[in-house]
Amino acid sequence: MECSVIKTVLALALAAGMVAGPAHGASLSFSNPDSLTPISQDGILELFDTNIGTLNTVRLTLSGTGSSRFVLNNTSGSGQNVSASSVILMYFSSSLPSLNTTLDVLMPALQLEASTGPISLDAGAGAHLGPVVSSATLTLDTLMPSLFAQAGGGNFTIYCENSDEKRLDGGNGVVTLGLVTQAGCGATVEYDYTPRASQIPEPASTALIGLGMASLLATIHRRRQRR
């Protein structure tokens, strides 16, 4: 009888500990250093493991950094006022076919813009300007959680490439523009999830279990005294 009562209280204790916790968040990311363009970079992110809970929402942020160096030369015999700019276009793809459907619509996903501002060049003069740094991010927060979740977890890859565009305003066709760029990409995935039932009792449950155990021990003690 005593053993049966003890087993009942222990079972209640375990049941009290099986309480689902509040929503949790996890953030995973990678970042590549800038390198001379054109780039071909990638990074690995983890999928959500459904064994640890239920995935509620997913937020994927794509990021890019860049720098531009401008070389201007005035080939005429008169001064020229010009302004040069560059745009680094970044394209992303993934090892997840379902994510690629979204990324295909976003080509290019990022545009990193840099400019020299107004420049005055004397006759026959040149100028080296930069590096002018630039950065951009894009957040996707309407992605389907089921695309990023599987039992046991796993991982997926994000790939990025780029192309460059340059523009020269002014110069009357007698100023040449050279452009050297560097770029790097990164990504962050954020998971909001509800963990599965926890084995750790809540404080109130722990107190109730303690009272139950104390009552049980008192009952057992009284029974032994009667014998």
Side-chain angles (χ1 to χ4, degrees):
M1 177 65 180
E2 293 173 3
C3 181
S4 177
V5 174
I6 292 174
K7 287 181 179 179
T8 300
V9 173
L10 290 177
L12 289 173
L14 290 174
M18 297 287 287
V19 179
H24 285 57
S27 178
L28 307 163
S29 63
F30 73 86
S31 179
N32 289 305
D34 288 359
S35 60
L36 286 173
T37 60
I39 63 169
S40 180
Q41 299 179 345
D42 59 64
I44 297 176
L45 297 171
E46 297 295 317
L47 292 170
F48 180 78
D49 184 356
T50 56
N51 292 327
I52 68 173
T54 301
L55 183 58
N56 302 318
T57 60
V58 177
R59 180 191 298 262
L60 179 65
T61 300
L62 307 175
S63 61
T65 57
S67 64
S68 302
R69 295 179 182 271
F70 302 89
V71 180
L72 300 166
N73 284 294
N74 181 3
T75 61
S76 74
S78 61
Q80 300 293 329
N81 294 317
V82 297
S83 176
S85 60
S86 74
V87 178
I88 301 173
L89 304 173
M90 302 198 75
Y91 306 86
F92 289 81
S93 60
S94 170
S95 60
L96 293 177
S98 52
L99 178 56
N100 270 339
T101 302
T102 299
L103 295 177
D104 286 346
V105 178
L106 299 172
M107 288 190 174
L110 300 177
Q111 299 186 43
L112 286 65
E113 301 182 7
S115 175
T116 64
I119 301 294
S120 294
L121 294 174
D122 293 335
H128 292 252
L129 304 167
V132 180
V133 298
S134 54
S135 63
T137 61
L138 173 67
T139 297
L140 307 175
D141 53 11
T142 59
L143 300 169
M144 292 182 60
S146 59
L147 303 180
F148 296 83
Q150 68 179 27
N155 56 61
F156 65 101
T157 304
I158 295 287
Y159 307 95
C160 59
E161 299 178 333
N162 87 287
S163 63
D164 291 341
E165 294 181 358
K166 61 182 180 181
R167 179 177 176 179
L168 181 66
D169 295 319
N172 298 313
V174 294
V175 176
T176 62
L177 170 61
L179 177 66
V180 177
T181 60
Q182 292 187 310
C185 71
T188 298
V189 64
E190 300 170 81
Y191 296 133
D192 178 87
Y193 68 97
T194 301
R196 293 197 181 280
S198 171
Q199 296 293 334
I200 302 175
E202 298 291 333
S205 301
T206 304
L208 291 174
I209 294 168
L211 290 174
M213 291 297 293
S215 176
L216 172 63
L217 293 174
T219 300
I220 295 174
H221 180 68
R222 287 195 298 270
R223 287 177 180 174
R224 287 177 175 172
Q225 284 183 329
R226 291 172 185 168
R227 292 177 181 173

